Amino acid sequence: MWGAIAMTWHYIAGELSLLLGELQEVARDETIVREISDLRKEAETVSFTALANIAAESLALANDMCELSLAVGDSRGFTRQLSICNELWCFGVSAGLFCDD
Amino acid sequence: MPTDEEEQVSEAQIAVHWREEEFYYPPAKFIGQSNASDPAILERFSEENFPECFKEYADLLSWDHYWHTTLDTSNPPFWKWFVGGKLNASYNCVDRHLEKNRNKAAILWAPELESEEIKAITYQELYEQVNEFAVLLRDFCGLKTGDRVTFHMPMVPELPVSMLACARLGIIHSEVFAGFSGAACGGRIADSGSHILITMDSYYRNGELADHKVKADEAIVTAHEQGFDIEKVLVWRRYPDRYGSNSPMVKGRDFFVDEVLKDYKNQIVSPVSMPAEAPLFLMYTSGSTGKPKGCQHSTGGYLSYVAGTSKYYQDIHPEDTYWCMADIGWITGHSYIVYGPLALGATTVMFEGVPTYPDSGRAWRIAERLGVNIFHTAPTTIRMLRKLGPDEPKKYNYHFKHMTTVGEPIEPEVWRWYQESVGKGEAVIVDTWWQTENGGFLGSTLPALQPMKPGSCGPGVLGVYPVIYDEDGNEVEAGSGRAGNICIRNPWPGILQTIYGQPERFVQVYYEKYCKDPKSKDWRDWPYFAGDGAVKAKDGYFRILGRVDDVINVAGHRLGTKELESASLTVPEIAEAAAVPVMDDLRGRVVEMYVSLKPGNKPSKEISDKVIKAIETEIGKIARPKNVWIVQDMPKTRSGKIMRRVIAGISNFTDPGDLTTLANAEVVESIRHQVQREKLAKGELPRELSPKEVEEIKAFGHVD
């Protein structure tokens, strides 16, 4: 197996960590905060091939957060979370972590 | 060992994804002004002139003492460049430009908010700021030559000021990307043994002022847990005299730089004349073992290399306005925002925010406003800009003569958008391949002399001689269509000196694999193993292969097979695991796991459930396999590799392909019987696959 394109790996891992940090800030639920924190740690340490999985998990968590906010009528929280969700998706597609189709 | 036939098949399968593109030639206008338009330069940097050819790069710098040995190979692979030479990096990037260019902008900083003024810092102002901060580091922090300092700084001008202040005193800086967590920063503090952390209170991202100082507190806790304590935290403020963080300042530990600096106003410190091989900075890369690798870069070799590649590959002239839209937290920013352009006396642009805020025209407005004529960014950013604003560039009146793409393969259609839309068909494109460890470019085209080819980074750069080896160390011929491991046959001045504090790991990671003779002092016996896969075309151009692992695309999520398999192997009963894709009308693909058990265990639903649970825990619910097949044995080659395409064929009710290379072909029929019978019993009826889907299954597992 070949190694990753190392320089881009670091850039992508860094951006993913940054987006997770933003997500963490707008998380209300303690369990989700912990899960995001764990994912962030992984993004900063694991190999390139694991980043796609971390990105997928991050997106799933962000979706959960949006649903939670909707359920309690927190429109401000929902808007912010949705915006990060969009950013995650767009970055993930551009970085090849998600497929566009 | 794999047979030749197996190897050729798998490598050809990779190469077949790449279609050779046509050449693009640089405009005459560009050639006419280029720093490297005389083909004689290629001869000067040919192998017969190695290593003395790199004198041409070193001569771009001002030396306090010239070197007596260009390349010292007495302790391989710890190469030493320009031994005996002395210089100062800060002097080379700042002081020496004062005489002719005192009032020229060294840095143009664009804040994220468009309502805020662009800040121009002249070389004179940079000189003053660097000196004042250097005196502060020396007198207030007690730092001296050889000490390490960690930065956790966003894209603000105070970052290059801090870097150059350290360089002025021979202090080794270690910048951690600002987006990283405090914990990541803390780990790097502990590893480098820094007693001082330099950070920022806040910075703008996506229109919001992000609290950054809070991460310093987290970093200090993590460093303490790893046995290392920070003595002082220097906090630059985004707005001097206004604190933009909710994190309390700790008395006696945390200090606002703007307050302390008042005591050092107008003070000057002489640059320390450093040996060429003295470390300039550490740049950490993630390590899959959890312990980051601190890549240590030298003063003389590194600075020569980034000055040379900036001049010839970025084609930077002193009158150019150059914008590398990367982050200084990465090696790209160190080499091609700070050290390279400033060593050449150019004007370098820094941007605080994200290029898509407040809209996807932001980057082009900056280019227009500042008169940027050289632009440099990564394919991920190019794809994002193309996706969000494909027609934006034409709305703005900027003109690039040169554009760089860095760090990963760029798809030809994205390359063409970059060339036609962003470059307006006027600019040359320099595609580059290199890594944090390398200091500067390794593969690229000399823009006036070597034509561009979308999707290829080009040949080895001046004085760098790449080669592709197969797993057994045999050279893979150019034009064979076969892929292999790209290596560099020779040392070059920008290469990392070592992994900080881990010299054995340095040798093991980069040299052990293809070293021909561990006792040899001849550099020819020590090829550098880059860890990337590549294909070399007949014309000598390299295509770097981005894929490092098989990926299964489940509902748009790319799941790495290695991670799925690793998660399965955390179940104590599992001996071997293989993940394969199964075509699914709803989700595109779903995952099926094949596992075999350790001796003494019997197949059970409990074990299957444990595998599912392990995958959900380690990766997430998105990766939950549709089926877990516990099989007696996996189909394997004589070298022990699991043939994933065979089991993928079984799961998809398609032809498993040629079985002649299997060491245990007899298991295939038994697996097929077990799996397909159970699927039919569960109502998972096969559907006819399209020819494209059949090809995908046939090719599955090709990276093994």
Side-chain angles (χ1 to χ4, degrees), chain B residues 268-383:
Chain B
I268 300 294
V269 56
S270 296
V272 177
S273 190
M274 299 297 295
E277 66 270 29
L280 178 61
F281 66 86
L282 304 178
M283 171 59 68
Y284 278 89
T285 73
S286 307
S288 51
T289 60
K291 188 171 169 61
K293 294 184 288 187
C295 297
Q296 179 180 308
H297 286 283
S298 70
T299 304
Y302 169 82
L303 198 62
S304 301
Y305 198 67
V306 297
T309 47
S310 292
K311 178 170 180 174
Y312 294 127
Y313 286 91
Q314 301 289 272
D315 200 55
I316 295 177
H317 299 64
E319 61 272 22
D320 287 326
T321 299
Y322 167 85
W323 183 14
C324 172
M325 196 171 69
D327 195 291
I328 297 175
W330 309 121
I331 188 72
T332 304
H334 275 52
S335 299
Y336 297 114
I337 296 177
V338 181
Y339 285 113
L342 294 181
L344 296 179
T347 297
T348 186
V349 174
M350 285 178 66
F351 175 45
E352 178 184 34
V354 293
T356 50
Y357 179 85
D359 56 68
S360 53
R362 176 66 161 134
W364 319 127
R365 285 199 292 281
I366 292 173
E368 178 186 72
R369 168 95 191 271
L370 301 181
V372 173
N373 65 343
I374 305 178
F375 183 70
H376 181 159
T377 196
T380 294
T381 312
I382 298 169
R383 287 185 209 112

Side-chain angles (χ1 to χ4, degrees), chain B residues 169-189:
Chain B
L169 300 174
I171 295 164
I172 304 162
H173 59 74
S174 165
E175 156 72 356
V176 180
F177 172 59
F180 266 179
S181 64
C185 179
R188 286 149 175 79
I189 288 170

Side-chain angles (χ1 to χ4, degrees), chain B residues 182-220:
Chain B
C185 179
R188 286 149 175 79
I189 288 170
D191 190 76
S192 64
S194 302
H195 289 290
I196 308 290
L197 171 63
I198 301 177
T199 187
M200 189 93 188
D201 64 337
S202 56
Y203 65 99
Y204 277 99
R205 186 182 152 85
N206 272 329
E208 288 186 15
L209 197 60
D211 185 340
H212 189 61
K213 161 66 169 61
V214 69
K215 293 181 186 172
D217 303 335
E218 193 191 350
I220 289 163

Side-chain angles (χ1 to χ4, degrees), chain B residues 620-642:
Chain B
K621 288 195 171 66
I622 188 79
R624 182 189 170 97
K626 185 174 184 182
N627 290 304
V628 177
W629 304 112
I630 302 177
V631 295
Q632 203 169 12
D633 195 6
M634 302 277 193
K636 290 177 196 151
T637 64
R638 281 180 282 278
S639 61
K641 286 181 188 169
I642 298 173

Side-chain angles (χ1 to χ4, degrees), chain B residues 448-464:
Chain B
L449 294 173
Q450 294 164 325
M452 307 159 255
K453 186 161 73 166
S456 295
C457 68
V461 298
L462 294 169
V464 166

Side-chain angles (χ1 to χ4, degrees), chain A residues 9 14-15 20 27 33 38 49-50 61-62 65 68 70 77 80 86 89:
Chain A
W9 160 19
E15 289 295 316
L20 280 164
V33 169
D38 290 346
T49 50
L61 271 176
M65 287 165 64
L68 265 176
L70 272 184
R80 183 77 189 105
N86 280 337
W89 173 252

Side-chain angles (χ1 to χ4, degrees), chain A residues 1 49, chain B residues 548-550 560-567 644 703-704:
Chain A
M1 189 180 84
T49 50
Chain B
V548 294
D549 197 359
D550 269 317
T561 52
K562 289 286 183 283
E563 276 61 47
L564 290 159
E565 291 159 12
S566 299
R644 287 172 177 76
V703 294
D704 292 321

